[in-house]
Amino acid sequence: MHRITPSSPDGPILRDIDSLAKDLGLAPGDYEPYGRLKAKLVHGLASKFTDRPLGKYIGVTAVNPTPLGEGKTVTTIGLAMALSQLGHTTVGTLREPSLAPVFGIKGGGAGGGNCTLEPQADINLHFTGDMHAVTSATNLLASIIDNHVARRKTPEINPKTITWRRSLDLCDKGLAHIISGLDQPPQAPLRETGFDLTAASEVMAILALASDPRDLRTRLGRIVVGMTYDRQPVTVEQLGCAGAMAALLIDALRPNLVQSCESTPFLVHAGPFGNIAHGNSSIIADQIALRLADYVVTESGFGADCGAEKFFDIKCRASGLQPAAEVLVCTARALKLQSGQFDVHPGKPLPPALLEENLEALRAGAVNLQAHLDIIQQYHLPTVVAINAFPDDSERELQEIQKIALDQGATAAVITRAFSEGSEGSFALAEAVVQAAELPNQFEYLYPLEMPIAEKIETIATRIYGAASVEFEPLARRRISEYEQLGYGNLPICIAKTQYSLSHDPHLLGRPTGFTFPVRDLRLSAGAGFLYALSGEIRTMPGLPSDPAALRIDIDDAGKIIGLH
Amino acid sequence: MHRITPSSPDGPILRDIDSLAKDLGLAPGDYEPYGRLKAKLVHGLASKFTDRPLGKYIGVTAVNPTPLGEGKTVTTIGLAMALSQLGHTTVGTLREPSLAPVFGIKGGGAGGGNCTLEPQADINLHFTGDMHAVTSATNLLASIIDNHVARRKTPEINPKTITWRRSLDLCDKGLAHIISGLDQPPQAPLRETGFDLTAASEVMAILALASDPRDLRTRLGRIVVGMTYDRQPVTVEQLGCAGAMAALLIDALRPNLVQSCESTPFLVHAGPFGNIAHGNSSIIADQIALRLADYVVTESGFGADCGAEKFFDIKCRASGLQPAAEVLVCTARALKLQSGQFDVHPGKPLPPALLEENLEALRAGAVNLQAHLDIIQQYHLPTVVAINAFPDDSERELQEIQKIALDQGATAAVITRAFSEGSEGSFALAEAVVQAAELPNQFEYLYPLEMPIAEKIETIATRIYGAASVEFEPLARRRISEYEQLGYGNLPICIAKTQYSLSHDPHLLGRPTGFTFPVRDLRLSAGAGFLYALSGEIRTMPGLPSDPAALRIDIDDAGKIIGLH
């Protein structure tokens, strides 16, 4: 074991990537090192190992979070490390962090405390370039579309119907809505358009859902960018640009192997957000991990209403893989916040009162935990509640959460101290997960694909979010009718909504009932293979806070990055 | 020596990166492998090797090219390989290709035929992510500026004075001129702005000109993004964002080690274009290469009027390094084109008549070669003319070029067949270069920095381009006066102009005289350390041709990239 210090002189002792790969059963030809602590796997690995049995597939989700997050990534890392320490071969599979929160509000996405992915700064910044590849492919297509329209190539696209938007991996609100093509002489149509976060782009979803290079290429060709003047869909295949996009993405389709601070292997691959996208790491990484390990622990974005619903109904449906158990992360502070008794703003510190013992507020907000347990139970999976305890948390609050969780049907409810204690603080969780994963389960999807689009959306809104009904705005109604007529009615649904509430409204806390869930727009993601519904005020290009995290990041004279968390 | 096949089953035999690095005198701690054929050097290498003597520094430039290019990169690679074969330790230093020409007109920038850089597809696409890092840093700053303005932070920026533009590494004409900030509620100012090619961004120039991490950080902080309401410059340091930009760029500042198809080491690092930017690879790479090798061969973009002038007056001035000799590449077809007797369009094949023997047209167009020789002689450097011969070229034409070149004062004029024969086709050139580099030279810059801005521009336009005079448009005049008042008058000049003519007008071929050179705008690149003058119709965001190269690129079922040249 080599001592490699990726980010600080007293950083963790890490294994070089060759030794990490070897212990996973990988041959030197199965991966390419990127630096001494990262590697990209080669294509075709999942089919190389088909003689091996599939490991147990463990999902990790959470209650509705505070703006600071509830330590779901930390819990996932701690769980994988504890399973490893208990003697189970384990691989964690996580999403790649986006630069947008790194420079905006939330900071990095590579864990924290004694549960980090290493090399942390690399993973939080450019990593192996996958996010940039997605951005490039998305924007290459936009440039080809404008060039196609300006030169009136066939099939002729009505520029007013172009739904393809550009992307950037930054919170750049100025680009959310723009008028493009003002240059003279015009070589591009003058039109209203905008940029989404790369993490919300269809190309990112395709990267996460594709099973191999051929499937990637096919999905890219299937993307619909707009309509002809007689309302026929125009695909990327027709524009001739799917091949170039695939060339840009082909290395990004190879999962990235790294390790945790305790040297547990992780595949960190693809990065769709859980609110404005389908919120799950790649299928390819999970397929490989499940052949290499006894346990694969994978996290989906935000709460069970966001990433976990999409994990079950989009990702598992696309891969055919079946989860063995689900972990539901919560914190005392998140549940107290859900009581509605505290004033919390994204980008600001949490109010001190939220951090004091308050059993009454806890019980009031715990309806949110109950709702999330009910969500997972609709998929018939054993659920372990992981109560992520902070050092100053009240023991009585933690015990109260355990009681409420068990009363609501959790298979187990354990306290974890992964941030401060690493695997040591996660043994109880690991043991509970091993037991839960042994239980039989009758996993099933929430809705069948043949259901009409509106009904699928209503099913998610009423049975997962707890809405009384759904209100489709006229634009959404038109799209539903159009997409069903064009034969895209049988796709699963990916809903973009706030992560702060079970509903569409971040101010409706706890377990709201009786609300009407509004659907503003519906976009066709024919390549990713889902219909993308936008609810309420959710935005696919968020802004920066008043005091962006970027202003605290720097380098020292030796070039070491500082201030990046 | 390992046989590694990067792109085709019958590709070149390449050395693994560890063996390549070792033979260059690098220890394992001096670099990090990126895959098995690429490495990034660590910071601080130039100062590690200061006890070694500096090698001979050889520049490579060209006459005004045809739209297909004149094989300057191929000649550079062939020369480096031939010097190597002749027993001289040699390192080539080249710019990183941009995705824009790869998907647009010109194709890849990693050589061709028997003079390639490997792994070719990697280098032409994402490589080690440096271009993406530059794009990200440029756009992060734009988002911070808009956020700063929208929140009315101090110093308050007048949004109408914002000169900072975003960038993309794609030919996306629709983004050349946009209105941004239309989103409601407004979190960014509504304003006219646009995107430049990443290769034209000030951040790219900074990456190429910075000498170490501290210098990078200082230059980023020095960037001026706009003015306060009382016309005081606002810097990136004042916005607090130089550190985060440096963090994004810190790995990109480390040169990339690769090899040619004959295993000659190359440092491929930074990629400013020669027409719309200063057109030269990084100073850091050259500083290291000159300590590791007897000969360092480096190419600058387009003709001697573009990249070479900037090599001497911007890059060498910034580094203090002195070239020993210059190679001037020409082809028979480019010189015949310069006769003005042929009709050539970017994005279209060359007319067959241009490829037939025509000594009269050749002599008429050879005034262009003479002009370029005269340009280099103003810097008092020995010049070797490399006549890049195509298989079907007329021997009489090639001999005529030799004669004209020697008559015009070339130190030597040799025929090269690098594309078809690799180092074998470049031995005569290598021998001529070795002899030229032994000659004493009185290298000097074209103009002193203390000269007034307008006079510096006039000096370049009249003495290099052959203009009779310069016409400053009112905007340019205002900027000159403003920048001189603000204390930025003592910077060197980087002129953006067409590469197809010595003048500003791509239709003025041969050796135009008597023309007035128009200067439309002047931009301050305080971080890069130059004033950026835009002439005539030159655009910093070009468009795609009717039939973009992107439409011919694809992957096969195994994920291998095809159609990328």
Side-chain angles (χ1 to χ4, degrees), chain A residues 26 30 40-49 54 57 91-94 96 130 204-217 219 249-257 266-270 278 280-292 296 298 311 315-316 318-321, chain B residues 555 557-559:
Chain A
L26 297 174
D30 292 340
K40 261 197 179 289
L41 305 185
V42 300
H43 287 300
L45 271 199
S47 46
K48 175 174 173 184
F49 296 119
L54 288 167
Y57 198 24
V91 172
T93 62
L94 287 175
E96 303 184 46
D130 297 345
M204 180 60 87
I206 289 173
L207 188 73
L209 292 166
S211 53
D212 57 39
R214 185 201 302 239
D215 185 38
L216 171 79
R217 175 67 181 73
R219 287 171 179 268
L249 292 164
I250 195 64
D251 277 343
L253 189 65
R254 297 157 52 194
N256 305 295
L257 175 64
F266 273 76
L267 294 177
V268 177
H269 193 217
H278 84 279
N280 285 274
S281 57
S282 82
I283 283 179
I284 286 196
D286 288 2
Q287 284 172 331
I288 297 168
L290 285 163
R291 297 293 179 183
L292 298 176
V296 172
T298 190
F311 175 56
K315 184 179 176 185
C316 288
S319 69
L321 296 168
Chain B
I555 61 165
D557 283 349

Side-chain angles (χ1 to χ4, degrees), chain B residues 57 322-325 379-382 436-444:
Chain B
Y57 199 23
Q322 292 232 357
Y379 296 90
H380 308 292
L381 285 176
E438 292 301 323
L439 298 174
N441 80 65
Q442 289 78 42
F443 175 70
E444 61 177 5

Side-chain angles (χ1 to χ4, degrees), chain A residues 429-514:
Chain A
L429 174 61
E431 282 159 1
V433 164
V434 168
Q435 286 175 19
E438 292 301 324
L439 297 175
N441 80 65
Q442 290 76 42
F443 174 71
E444 61 176 5
Y445 311 125
L446 184 71
Y447 53 85
L449 295 181
E450 307 75 49
M451 200 181 256
I453 294 173
E455 203 178 324
K456 281 185 273 200
I457 295 174
E458 282 157 358
T459 301
I460 297 169
T462 55
R463 288 181 51 192
I464 303 295
Y465 308 156
S469 63
V470 176
E471 185 182 15
F472 295 96
E473 295 186 24
L475 176 62
R477 283 231 168 268
R478 274 209 309 281
R479 303 266 199 225
I480 289 174
S481 150
E482 177 165 66
Y483 295 145
E484 287 189 336
Q485 277 169 30
L486 291 171
Y488 295 108
N490 282 353
L491 295 173
I493 307 293
C494 178
I495 295 184
K497 78 165 197 72
T498 180
Q499 68 271 31
Y500 295 124
S501 166
L502 282 161
S503 77
H504 60 286
D505 177 352
H507 303 103
L508 292 181
L509 299 179
R511 186 175 194 167
T513 54

